[in-house]
Amino acid sequence: METDIEQDGTNEIVAIVGTAAQASIYKIKNAHIVATNLNETLEAQEVTYDKESNTFVSGVKIWRVKGEELVSSK
């Protein structure tokens, strides 16, 4: 899905696939497509995305994208 996860006016692509959800973010940076696998970044078996709150969930932790970093929303 396309959504503005950084809330900077530019949409990124959030892809969630698989039964044990694998989450990736795709964005354009310096005219190149850059991908980040959130399961690897967060060392989590499953990561989901809640579009309504614009957050990523891994286990009991909730994460938000701030700039180019993931920060805990706790």
Side-chain angles (χ1 to χ4, degrees):
M1 76 183 76
E2 283 189 44
T3 188
D4 186 6
I5 59 168
E6 296 178 334
Q7 299 182 334
D8 62 358
T10 302
N11 282 343
E12 291 79 31
I13 295 173
V14 175
I16 309 291
V17 296
T19 303
Q22 296 287 312
S24 296
I25 300 171
Y26 298 86
K27 64 185 273 181
I28 296 176
K29 185 174 182 178
N30 300 324
H32 292 20
I33 296 174
V34 179
T36 302
N37 180 301
L38 297 180
N39 297 69
E40 291 175 8
T41 301
L42 299 173
E43 298 178 353
Q45 188 173 24
E46 180 176 36
V47 177
T48 58
Y49 176 67
D50 181 357
K51 186 172 182 169
E52 214 171 281
S53 65
N54 195 33
T55 57
F56 293 90
V57 179
S58 69
V60 295
K61 289 193 174 187
I62 298 173
W63 301 87
R64 182 177 309 282
V65 174
K66 187 173 183 179
E68 291 191 3
E69 297 182 12
L70 283 171
V71 293
S72 179
S73 290
K74 215 170 186 188

